Amino acid sequence: MKKCLICNELIDPFMSFGKMPIANSFLMPNEFKDEYFFELKAAFCQTCGMAQLVEQPDKEKMFNKNYAFFSGTSKRMAEHFKEFAEHVLADYIKSENPFIVEIGSNDGIMLQNFSIKNIRHLGIEPSLNVAEVARENGINTICEFFDETVAKKIVAQYGQADAFLGANVMCHIPYIHSVIKGIRVLLKPDGIIIFEDPYLGDVIQKTSYDQIYDEHAFLFSVSAIDYLFKMHGLEVVDVEPQVTHGGSMRYIIAHKGVRQVSSRTREQLKKEKILGLHKQQTYDLFRENCERSKTGLVALLHKIKKEGKRVVGYAATSKSATVTNYCGITPELVEFISDTTPIKQGKYSPGAHIPVRGREDFAVKYPDYALLFGWNHAQEIMDKEQEFMRSGGKWIVYVPKVQVL
Ligand code: JHZ
Ligand code: SAH
């Protein structure tokens, strides 16, 4: 049995999704034979309540100079991070010359909102290609994996931070204790930690099992995050549910005793109890829901294939690696995946080896169905694909249930 990454107690997986590749490793046919796979197993710790992967590939295999996810591909997300940055400045920053630090800053989608106002900032981004996009836009970025050692270097060079921010990155880091020790060194005594990640409650309620893939070492809940930060003399003082990425939670954390804990935090903790996030049987039920979703999607794709209709995937998301590999979706069922990211185009999807092509190929001859792998961007995508729908094209979605729209 494996040990919990948070509290070191024994954990037992509640489900295996089978062999999985690196979700953001798009490849060429000559690379198929050496493709890396690991077993994607998820567990829930009965002691501290943290949902986590049992095995995760080395960080350099996932985050490197060829990282395929560029945050700027979604306009809606750029607006979201503008609002995030404005909220931080309006409600949490008091000092005159603040210093803002963000980990997992990627192409600078969030920090650009600080740099444009000439606010002192630093991004920490280990994937060199995306870090370089940020640097080209004048965003101060170091190319490192943040941990306690890096935190000490930052303090020596820049001094302590007023705010420590992160989006869709804290849940990616299995060595999270070192990250939190680093935050303690880096953060001013009255500083604030604000980060957001896909929320376990939404994943359970919507059976959005595709949030489980190599990069997501954890699926956070308020109770597990509070447990974890309290181990380090910090505490959750507020929470703000978000609609992004299919349902996320923003955590606002401070040194213990410095700020009042909001009633919203206590209410969310109560909701988690009602939802049964602390119970093993919730995860057993989730597994059954995943299996049902898989059976339904596979049956639908085979039925469409028999009718001689065309299906194209829409958005070669990281999440789609779990769906295609767990459900066994091959290029026979899904002709290609349309995606706007240049470095994914002309390559093949990890594991399932479905060709990835630019949006032009989607628009040149609309398919009968588009399988919406970017379901979390449904609004943004459907707004720009009106023509596809007018041509009679239909969407296939699988969250919260398999259906044709
Ligand atoms: P999207 C990534 O997940 C990885 P992914 C990571 N682990 C994470 O947690 C979240 O981001 C934050 C395409 N697209 O945002 C572009 C279109 O083609 O759901 C991208 O390839 N057309 C860090 O990969 C992909 O979708 C469009 O109109 O699951 C991004 O997918 C839009 C809006 C997107 O993230
Ligand atoms: N914050 C952006 C990017 C999320 S992608 C957004 O929400 O869109 C996750 C990013 O975290 C990747 O760019 C990856 O390179 C980075 N990352 C992974 N481990 C990290 C670590 N230890 N320290 C800092 N960044 C890390």
Side-chain angles (χ1 to χ4, degrees), residues 63 67 69 71 81 102-106 109 124-127 130 144-146 167-169 172-173 175:
F63 309 115
Y67 190 51
F69 175 70
S71 302
F81 287 121
E102 189 199 357
I103 65 166
S105 46
N106 200 279
I109 193 166
I124 300 132
E125 176 46 67
S127 300
V130 295
E144 302 257 22
F145 286 96
F146 183 83
N168 307 300
V169 57
H172 293 57
I173 312 181
Y175 44 98

Coordinates of all heavy atoms in Angstrom, one line a residue, residues 63 67 69 71 81 102-106 109 124-127 130 144-146 167-169 172-173 175, ligand 2:
F63 N 6.5 18.8 -17.2 CA 6.7 20.3 -17.3 C 8.1 20.5 -17.8 O 9.1 20.4 -17.0 CB 6.4 21.0 -16.0 CG 5.1 20.6 -15.3 CD1 5.1 19.9 -14.2 CD2 3.9 20.9 -16.0 CE1 3.8 19.5 -13.6 CE2 2.7 20.6 -15.4 CZ 2.7 19.9 -14.2
Y67 N 6.2 22.2 -23.1 CA 4.9 22.1 -22.5 C 3.8 22.6 -23.5 O 4.0 23.6 -24.1 CB 4.9 22.9 -21.2 CG 3.6 22.7 -20.4 CD1 3.2 21.4 -20.0 CD2 2.9 23.8 -19.9 CE1 2.1 21.2 -19.2 CE2 1.8 23.6 -19.1 CZ 1.4 22.3 -18.8 OH 0.2 22.1 -18.0
F69 N 0.5 23.2 -23.0 CA -0.7 24.0 -22.6 C -0.3 25.5 -22.4 O 0.5 25.8 -21.5 CB -1.3 23.5 -21.3 CG -2.4 24.4 -20.8 CD1 -3.6 24.5 -21.4 CD2 -2.2 25.2 -19.6 CE1 -4.6 25.3 -21.0 CE2 -3.2 26.1 -19.2 CZ -4.4 26.1 -19.8
S71 N -1.9 29.1 -21.4 CA -3.1 29.6 -20.8 C -3.9 30.5 -21.7 O -5.1 30.6 -21.6 CB -2.7 30.3 -19.5 OG -2.0 29.4 -18.7
F81 N -8.8 36.0 -15.3 CA -7.6 36.3 -14.5 C -7.5 37.8 -14.3 O -6.8 38.3 -13.4 CB -6.4 35.7 -15.1 CG -6.3 34.2 -14.9 CD1 -6.3 33.3 -16.0 CD2 -6.3 33.7 -13.6 CE1 -6.3 31.9 -15.7 CE2 -6.3 32.3 -13.4 CZ -6.3 31.5 -14.4
E102 N 3.6 34.8 -8.3 CA 2.7 33.8 -8.7 C 3.4 32.6 -9.2 O 4.4 32.7 -9.9 CB 1.9 34.3 -10.0 CG 0.7 33.3 -10.3 CD 0.1 33.4 -11.7 OE1 0.5 34.3 -12.5 OE2 -0.7 32.6 -12.1
I103 N 3.0 31.4 -8.7 CA 3.6 30.2 -9.3 C 2.7 29.6 -10.4 O 1.5 29.8 -10.4 CB 3.9 29.1 -8.2 CG1 2.6 28.6 -7.5 CG2 4.8 29.6 -7.1 CD1 2.9 27.3 -6.7
G104 N 3.4 28.9 -11.3 CA 2.7 28.3 -12.4 C 2.1 29.5 -13.3 O 1.0 29.4 -13.8
S105 N 2.9 30.5 -13.5 CA 2.4 31.7 -14.2 C 2.3 31.5 -15.7 O 1.8 32.4 -16.4 CB 3.4 32.9 -13.8 OG 4.7 32.5 -14.0
N106 N 2.8 30.4 -16.2 CA 2.7 30.1 -17.6 C 3.0 31.2 -18.5 O 4.1 31.8 -18.4 CB 1.2 29.5 -17.8 CG 1.0 28.7 -19.1 OD1 0.9 29.2 -20.2 ND2 1.1 27.4 -18.9
I109 N -0.7 35.0 -18.2 CA -2.1 35.4 -18.3 C -2.6 36.2 -17.1 O -3.4 37.1 -17.3 CB -3.0 34.1 -18.6 CG1 -4.4 34.5 -19.0 CG2 -3.0 33.2 -17.4 CD1 -5.2 33.4 -19.7
I124 N 6.9 32.3 -11.3 CA 7.8 31.2 -11.2 C 7.2 30.1 -12.1 O 6.1 29.6 -11.8 CB 8.0 30.7 -9.8 CG1 8.5 31.8 -8.9 CG2 8.9 29.5 -9.7 CD1 7.8 32.1 -7.7
E125 N 7.9 29.8 -13.2 CA 7.4 28.9 -14.2 C 8.4 28.0 -14.8 O 9.3 28.4 -15.5 CB 6.8 29.8 -15.3 CG 6.2 29.0 -16.5 CD 5.4 27.8 -16.1 OE1 4.3 28.0 -15.6 OE2 5.8 26.7 -16.4
P126 N 8.4 26.7 -14.4 CA 9.4 25.8 -14.9 C 9.4 25.4 -16.3 O 10.4 24.9 -16.8 CB 9.1 24.5 -14.0 CG 7.7 24.6 -13.7 CD 7.4 26.1 -13.6
S127 N 8.3 25.6 -17.0 CA 8.2 25.2 -18.4 C 8.7 26.3 -19.3 O 8.0 27.3 -19.4 CB 6.8 24.8 -18.8 OG 6.3 23.7 -18.0
V130 N 6.7 28.3 -22.3 CA 5.6 29.2 -21.9 C 6.1 30.4 -21.1 O 5.7 31.5 -21.3 CB 4.4 28.5 -21.1 CG1 3.7 27.5 -22.1 CG2 4.9 27.8 -19.9
E144 N 11.8 28.0 -12.8 CA 12.2 27.0 -11.8 C 10.9 26.3 -11.3 O 9.8 26.8 -11.5 CB 12.7 27.8 -10.5 CG 13.9 28.7 -10.7 CD 15.2 28.1 -10.2 OE1 15.2 26.8 -10.0 OE2 16.1 28.9 -10.0
F145 N 11.1 25.2 -10.6 CA 10.0 24.5 -9.9 C 10.0 25.1 -8.5 O 11.0 25.0 -7.8 CB 10.3 23.0 -9.8 CG 10.0 22.3 -11.1 CD1 11.1 22.0 -11.9 CD2 8.7 21.9 -11.4 CE1 10.9 21.3 -13.1 CE2 8.5 21.2 -12.6 CZ 9.6 20.9 -13.5
F146 N 9.0 25.8 -8.1 CA 8.9 26.4 -6.8 C 9.0 25.4 -5.7 O 8.3 24.4 -5.8 CB 7.7 27.3 -6.6 CG 7.6 28.0 -5.3 CD1 8.2 29.2 -5.2 CD2 6.9 27.5 -4.2 CE1 8.2 29.9 -4.0 CE2 6.9 28.2 -3.0 CZ 7.5 29.4 -2.9
A167 N -2.9 29.6 -9.8 CA -4.2 29.0 -10.4 C -3.8 27.8 -11.1 O -2.9 27.7 -12.0 CB -4.8 30.1 -11.4
N168 N -4.5 26.7 -10.8 CA -4.3 25.4 -11.5 C -2.9 25.0 -11.5 O -2.3 24.5 -12.5 CB -4.9 25.5 -12.9 CG -6.3 26.1 -13.0 OD1 -7.2 25.4 -12.4 ND2 -6.5 27.2 -13.6
V169 N -2.3 25.2 -10.3 CA -0.9 24.7 -10.2 C -0.7 24.0 -8.8 O 0.0 23.0 -8.8 CB 0.1 25.9 -10.4 CG1 -0.1 27.0 -9.5 CG2 1.5 25.4 -10.2
H172 N -1.0 20.5 -8.7 CA -0.1 19.7 -9.6 C 1.2 19.3 -8.8 O 2.0 18.6 -9.4 CB 0.3 20.6 -10.7 CG -0.8 21.0 -11.7 ND1 -1.9 21.6 -11.3 CD2 -0.9 20.8 -13.0 CE1 -2.7 21.8 -12.4 NE2 -2.1 21.3 -13.4
I173 N 1.3 19.7 -7.6 CA 2.6 19.5 -6.9 C 2.6 18.5 -5.8 O 2.2 18.8 -4.7 CB 3.1 20.9 -6.4 CG1 3.0 21.9 -7.6 CG2 4.6 20.8 -6.0 CD1 3.5 23.3 -7.2
Y175 N 5.0 17.4 -4.0 CA 5.9 17.8 -2.9 C 5.4 19.1 -2.3 O 6.1 20.1 -2.0 CB 7.4 18.0 -3.4 CG 7.5 18.7 -4.7 CD1 7.8 20.1 -4.8 CD2 7.2 18.1 -5.9 CE1 7.8 20.8 -6.0 CE2 7.2 18.8 -7.1 CZ 7.6 20.1 -7.1 OH 7.6 20.8 -8.3
Ligands
SAH2 N1 -1.8 29.4 -14.0 C1 -2.1 29.1 -15.4 C2 -1.3 27.9 -15.8 C3 -1.7 26.6 -15.3 S1 -0.7 25.3 -16.0 C4 -3.5 28.9 -15.6 O1 -4.3 28.7 -14.7 O2 -3.9 28.8 -16.8 C5 0.2 24.7 -14.7 C6 1.6 25.4 -14.7 O3 2.3 25.2 -13.5 C7 2.5 24.9 -15.8 O4 2.8 26.0 -16.7 C8 3.6 24.3 -15.1 O5 4.9 24.4 -15.8 C9 3.7 25.0 -13.8 N2 4.3 24.3 -12.6 C10 4.3 22.9 -12.4 N3 5.0 22.7 -11.2 C11 5.4 23.9 -10.7 C12 6.1 24.3 -9.6 N4 6.6 23.5 -8.7 N5 6.3 25.6 -9.4 C13 5.9 26.6 -10.3 N6 5.2 26.2 -11.4 C14 4.9 24.9 -11.6

